[in-house]
Amino acid sequence: MKEAEIRRLLAANLLCVFSVILTAVVPAFFWDGFTVLGTHLAWLCVCSVCVSTLHIILHLVLKPNLSPKRSSFAQKISRFLKCCIYFFMSCILFHAIIVLYGAPLIESVTETFLFAVLLSTFTTLQCLCVLGPNIQAWIRVFSKNGAMSIWESSLQITTTCSILGAWFGAFPIPLDWDRPWQVWPISCSLGATFGYVAGLIIAPLWIHWNRKQLTYKSR
C-alpha cells in the first residue's frame, strides 16, 4: 500500500472536515443572526450544498477507483442522471426510515427531509462518487472484507460513523431538559455531522495503522 495514496486520502478527508467547520462559521459574516442552532434549517442547506460540491470536486480531481475503460459522452450523461436519481431516492428512503423511527409524519416535514438530505450527502453521495450508480459494488463494499481500495475502506468507516452519529443523536430528544438543541432534528443532524467528521479523521489513521494487514485484491 502506497503511503502517497494514504496522504491523498488524508488531505481529501481533512478538506471535508474544514468544509463542515466553515459552513458553521462563514455564513455568519454575511447573514445576520445565522447560527447552527438558531437558523438550523438554513445551516442544513448550506452544509449539504458545500459538502456535496466539495465531494464532487475531489472526485473529479483525485479520481478514486478510476475505471480503465473510457466512457462516451452519452454514457457520462447517463451515469450523471442515474446518480441524481439515486441521490433523490436516497433522500426519500432516509426520510421514510426516519419517520418509521419516530419522527413526525405530518409536522416538521421540511425539517425531516432536510435532515434526510444531509444524511444522503454524508453517505450516499460518497458512494456515488467512489463507486458510481452500481448497487452490486455498494453491496460488495459494505459486506465483510469487501473493500478493494483505501477509498472504499474510508467509505465504509465514514458512512457507518455518520449513521451511528445520527442514531445516537436521537437519544437526548425525549429528555425533559428543555435545551434548544433538543428541538427536532438538531441533535440528530449534529450527531450525524460529528459522526461524519469523526469518520473522516478516523479512516486514514486506521488505514495507516493497519496498512500491513490490509491487502486489497481486484475482483
Side-chain angles (χ1 to χ4, degrees), residues 27-89:
F29 292 100
F30 307 97
W31 186 338
D32 291 337
F34 179 91
T35 62
V36 173
L37 299 183
T39 53
H40 191 68
L41 296 186
W43 176 78
L44 286 176
C45 295
V46 172
C47 186
S48 298
V49 170
C50 291
V51 172
S52 298
T53 304
L54 182 60
H55 269 306
I56 294 171
I57 293 173
L58 289 174
H59 168 68
L60 295 175
V61 173
L62 299 177
K63 295 180 172 58
N65 290 3
L66 181 64
S67 174
K69 298 181 181 178
R70 287 192 173 185
S71 301
S72 65
F73 180 74
Q75 289 175 324
K76 291 179 179 178
I77 293 297
S78 174
R79 179 186 175 93
F80 173 75
L81 292 176
K82 282 184 179 179
C83 288
C84 293
I85 293 171
Y86 279 32
F87 183 80
F88 179 73
M89 290 173 59

Side-chain angles (χ1 to χ4, degrees), residues 82-103:
K82 282 184 179 179
C83 288
C84 293
I85 293 171
Y86 279 32
F87 183 80
F88 179 73
M89 290 173 59
S90 170
C91 296
I92 299 298
L93 180 61
F94 270 125
H95 185 104
I97 292 173
I98 293 166
V99 169
L100 290 175
Y101 268 87

